[in-house]
Amino acid sequence: MVCLALGLATVALYSPAFHFHFVNYDDPVYVVENPHVNHGLTADGVGWAFQAGYAANWHPLTWMSHMLDCQLFDLRAGEHHATNVVLHALNSVLLFLVLARMTGTFWRAAMVAALFAWHPMHVESVAWISERKDVLSAFFWILALWAYVRYAQGPKSKLFYALTLVFFVLGLMAKPMVITLPCVLLLLDWWPLRRGAPASKLVWEKIPFFALAAGAAWVTVVAQSREHALSSLHRNPISVRVLNVFLSYLRYCEKLAWPSRLSVIYTFYYRVRIGEVVCAVVFLSLMFGIGILARKNRPYWLFGWLWFLGTLMPVIGLVQVGAQSMADRYMYLPSIGLFILVCWGVCDLTRCLRRQGTLMAVAAVAILAPCVVATETQLAVWKNSGALFSHALALDPDNYVAHIHYGEYLSGQGDLRGALSEYQRAVELAPDYLPGFRDLASVLSLEAAKDASMTARAYAQVQPELELGVIYNPADPNLRHLLGTSLALAGNFDAAEQQFAASVRLAPEQLGGYYDLAQAMTAEHKTGDAIAVYRRVLQSHPDSPEALDDLAWILAADANPGFRNGAEAVELATRACEITKTNDAMKIGTLAAACAEAGRFDEAVGWAENGREVAASHGQTGVAARNIELEKYFKARRPFHETP
């Protein structure tokens, strides 16, 4: 009955998420705009999932779970949210069963599971589709704990030892943060399992787990390095990181005890009050000291505290990835340790009271009811990108990351001026944070067609900062790429080509640099060089729809007949349309032009009509008009060639 109530209540609490949208923070990279994922579960996609580097992570099982969702539900966000919710409900039920078995208690285990299921700090892990890795890795983490408890307590121990290893591997493949499991297993040996084997034997049997954890950590660092996701010591000095460790541990405890002002992103505080640091150090030392003193009579205290400290260590910020100083999602597993400490502690403190059971039931309701209300309120924040980042800005108007993503939301809604204002504010707050410049350049390029004078003035403000950034960070490919974009949009294609070429040399794995280099070469009438760049991209990424389409267009429609090749253009454009499921009007138009260049005018007319219909269905009036213009050429049995 407890399992049923816990599971159903959790699904009911999170059911509003079934109507939520994707958000513009990681969801495009993970699912919406990721062709490896949004095409569903395919053999090529599974092979790609095991590559290290994309999105600065290695979590193949998470990628495959997103692929399966796309296979079953396409890009209907509600169903993707439902998968997260169901996994969270399963995790809560499994946690209750595992705690009850390994501690021999019932209601305390149920209370910990209920807090885990309904605490508002876990909303981020459940309501954010990109955090599938949290709920999925926790599922296998808890199964690993179950298998280990069975191994330690019952017969057929070799089978359950092997199962523990298997579940650990699956957890690592979902999110490498679970590398701390071997340490937690050692804690379980001490309490509550109280295994009497010599310490050396207990450590020895964990060697395979530590080896797997080390391997996963190495792969993760490689993936983050390839994507340049690791923050430099220049941006986040070691002194700032160490102070942030103490402050974050304190703030995590505060938010778990009083979950207010929860935000999707907490930026770094570089000006720290010394009193707050002292309080954090004293608090952490006091909690640890109490645990040491009470380790014999109340071992749960030290157990829960070490669980919290240890499982949070991989993301506490000593190795800094991203702009956040802390994150609610990081508490998904570490919070269990504090819940155990509190629930067992309260039970001990009230043991001498009369009618303890009644008092504990009342206290449980008094704690869980506000949690449910707070979770319901926090959940509404995640309904779309606008709600999410306007909420973050209401809490912290100087949150530059929130300004960037709120600007992206406004841009998607057609409010380019509002988006420009948000991006400029982000650049003012954090002139060394590259995404601010990238998005500023993006919205400026969209505004260029509407108001060239405004665009030129805005770029005049931004370009000196980019040039200064390149002087101080000459080996940063992203800054080089962004400066090249700025120069290209300002019409200085020769200088832009130099920056794009430098970006490609510094980061040959990043395709965007190649595309923009080729486009700059085309603008400089270096079409032969541009073709060579596109062919180089297709050698390493033969299924890149952008490279296929761009090269096909040159081969079909370039003004110089020496570069045209209708047959090859048809082959490339056909492949680009297949990859995009014939749902991209621009690529369909390229295929039409390629067919015309190959002399297949009837097919060209058909594809141009198809491109017009697809563009109209997507509201792309400009693209639809372009295909109508192409159609006129093809009906007249003439290929389309660009003007010299």
Side-chain angles (χ1 to χ4, degrees):
M1 292 298 293
V2 168
C3 290
L4 192 62
L6 191 61
L8 292 179
T10 302
V11 171
L13 176 61
Y14 278 94
S15 60
F18 300 164
H19 306 288
F20 289 0
H21 302 280
F22 291 101
V23 296
N24 60 22
Y25 193 22
D26 283 357
D27 282 356
V29 175
Y30 274 67
V31 181
V32 181
E33 297 173 4
N34 187 338
H36 303 286
V37 171
N38 60 32
H39 289 169
L41 196 60
T42 64
D44 289 342
V46 171
W48 168 85
F50 282 87
Q51 298 178 12
Y54 192 86
N57 278 300
W58 184 80
H59 41 51
L61 203 60
T62 296
W63 288 129
M64 285 186 276
S65 78
H66 286 304
M67 292 174 190
L68 182 59
D69 272 6
C70 291
Q71 183 77 34
L72 297 174
F73 313 126
D74 199 30
L75 288 177
R76 297 189 296 274
E79 283 90 334
H80 291 254
H81 281 294
T83 303
N84 278 22
V85 171
V86 170
L87 280 170
H88 180 57
L90 285 173
N91 290 342
S92 305
V93 172
L94 285 172
L95 179 62
F96 162 62
L97 294 173
V98 172
L99 283 178
R101 181 181 181 93
M102 72 184 188
T103 63
T105 65
F106 186 88
W107 290 113
R108 275 174 281 181
M111 184 63 180
V112 169
L115 285 169
F116 176 82
W118 305 333
H119 197 283
M121 207 169 184
H122 291 169
V123 167
E124 181 170 295
S125 294
V126 184
W128 190 1
I129 290 172
S130 293
E131 282 310 304
R132 171 70 53 76
K133 52 185 178 282
D134 267 0
V135 290
L136 188 61
S137 64
F139 177 71
F140 292 111
W141 164 286
I142 298 170
L143 284 177
L145 293 185
W146 165 80
Y148 186 75
V149 172
R150 293 295 302 270
Y151 159 70
Q153 291 181 341
K156 298 182 181 179
S157 58
K158 291 183 179 179
L159 170 63
F160 287 108
Y161 182 86
L163 278 176
T164 308
L165 273 173
V166 169
F167 289 137
F168 181 44
V169 170
L170 293 173
L172 291 172
M173 291 169 63
K175 185 177 185 179
M177 183 180 166
V178 301
I179 59 173
T180 54
L181 179 70
C183 299
V184 172
L185 297 183
L186 287 172
L187 278 177
L188 291 177
D189 289 337
W190 172 64
W191 186 88
L193 299 180
R194 298 187 184 277
R195 296 179 67 192
S200 58
K201 179 184 177 182
L202 296 177
V203 172
W204 179 255
E205 70 181 9
K206 309 299 186 300
I207 294 299
F209 294 90
F210 281 111
L212 288 168
W218 177 78
V219 172
T220 301
V221 170
V222 169
Q224 293 169 345
S225 300
R226 286 180 178 176
E227 290 286 298
H228 307 283
L230 295 173
S231 183
S232 68
L233 290 175
H234 171 73
R235 177 171 175 80
N236 296 115
I238 193 66
S239 57
V240 172
R241 300 186 190 203
V242 171
L243 289 176
N244 184 65
V245 167
F246 291 109
L247 292 175
S248 293
Y249 272 125
L250 177 62
R251 288 168 180 160
Y252 280 126
C253 292
E254 289 175 348
K255 289 191 178 295
L256 208 65
W258 191 259
S260 63
R261 299 179 64 80
L262 301 179
S263 177
V264 64
I265 182 76
Y266 305 97
T267 53
F268 266 92
Y269 293 93
Y270 292 96
R271 294 182 179 180
V272 178
R273 290 174 292 184
I274 190 65
E276 191 175 5
V277 177
V278 171
C279 286
V281 173
V282 169
F283 172 75
L284 295 175
S285 302
L286 182 63
M287 292 292 290
F288 188 73
I290 293 173
I292 292 293
L293 293 174
R295 66 187 183 278
K296 292 184 179 179
N297 297 327
R298 294 176 174 82
Y300 57 80
W301 188 289
L302 187 59
F303 171 85
W305 187 244
L306 290 178
W307 176 309
F308 164 66
L309 294 179
T311 54
L312 199 53
M313 182 60 69
V315 290
I316 200 60
L318 288 175
V319 178
Q320 181 61 33
V321 178
Q324 70 283 344
S325 61
M326 54 183 288
D328 294 352
R329 59 189 177 274
Y330 293 158
M331 280 294 283
Y332 194 68
L333 286 174
S335 63
I336 297 171
L338 293 183
F339 291 151
I340 290 173
L341 189 158
V342 170
C343 292
W344 262 254
V346 170
C347 187
D348 263 3
L349 289 173
T350 59
R351 193 178 300 280
C352 60
L353 298 178
R354 298 174 61 184
R355 297 186 177 180
Q356 184 199 28
T358 303
L359 290 174
M360 293 293 288
V362 171
V365 172
I367 292 170
L368 292 175
C371 276
V372 169
V373 173
T375 294
E376 188 176 22
T377 302
Q378 183 65 18
L379 185 63
V381 169
W382 284 86
K383 63 182 178 182
N384 58 45
S385 302
L388 181 62
F389 291 104
S390 61
H391 172 76
L393 289 172
L395 297 176
D396 180 9
D398 291 339
N399 189 326
Y400 57 91
V401 178
H403 277 293
I404 289 170
H405 289 282
Y406 189 58
E408 290 179 1
Y409 170 75
L410 294 176
S411 178
Q413 298 296 307
D415 184 4
L416 297 183
R417 294 299 179 93
L420 180 61
S421 176
E422 294 295 325
Y423 295 147
Q424 288 178 318
R425 179 58 179 154
V427 168
E428 291 172 9
L429 291 167
D432 58 343
Y433 188 62
L434 294 178
F437 286 112
R438 292 195 196 104
D439 288 338
L440 180 60
S442 173
V443 76
L444 286 171
S445 66
L446 292 173
E447 278 286 308
K450 298 173 59 178
D451 189 344
S453 61
M454 185 281 297
T455 303
R457 288 196 302 272
Y459 263 111
Q461 297 172 5
V462 174
Q463 192 164 309
E465 295 173 342
L466 292 173
E467 291 170 344
L468 187 63
V470 168
I471 291 173
Y472 282 107
N473 302 278
D476 191 316
N478 295 316
L479 267 176
R480 292 277 191 180
H481 190 190
L482 189 56
L483 178 57
T485 302
S486 173
L487 292 166
L489 291 172
N492 191 348
F493 295 106
D494 188 41
E497 181 184 333
Q498 296 176 23
Q499 295 301 327
F500 290 138
S503 172
V504 166
R505 286 196 303 272
L506 292 166
E509 74 282 359
Q510 295 185 10
L511 297 185
Y514 288 101
Y515 298 142
D516 291 336
L517 173 61
Q519 289 172 359
M521 288 175 168
T522 302
E524 285 287 294
H525 308 294
K526 300 176 181 178
T527 308
D529 293 334
I531 291 174
V533 171
Y534 284 126
R535 293 197 189 283
R536 181 178 174 183
V537 171
L538 290 173
Q539 283 178 357
S540 57
H541 296 80
D543 290 335
S544 169
E546 288 76 17
L548 289 165
D549 181 70
D550 287 352
L551 180 55
W553 179 259
I554 292 174
L555 298 178
D558 193 79
N560 187 336
F563 295 123
R564 296 200 294 266
N565 185 329
E568 185 182 0
V570 170
E571 181 181 346
L572 296 171
T574 300
R575 180 62 184 146
C577 288
E578 288 174 351
I579 293 172
T580 54
K581 298 183 177 181
T582 321
N583 197 35
D584 186 319
M586 288 289 289
K587 292 175 177 56
I588 296 171
T590 300
L591 178 55
C595 288
E597 177 62 21
R600 295 152 59 173
F601 292 105
D602 292 337
E603 292 179 57
V605 171
W607 283 118
E609 291 174 347
N610 182 265
R612 170 169 49 81
E613 292 170 359
V614 171
S617 68
H618 292 171
Q620 299 171 311
T621 54
V623 180
R626 173 181 178 273
N627 280 290
I628 291 172
E629 188 66 26
L630 291 174
E631 192 178 335
K632 293 178 181 177
Y633 278 86
F634 307 151
K635 286 182 176 178
R637 318 288 293 180
R638 293 168 49 202
F640 174 82
H641 296 150
E642 293 181 320
T643 303

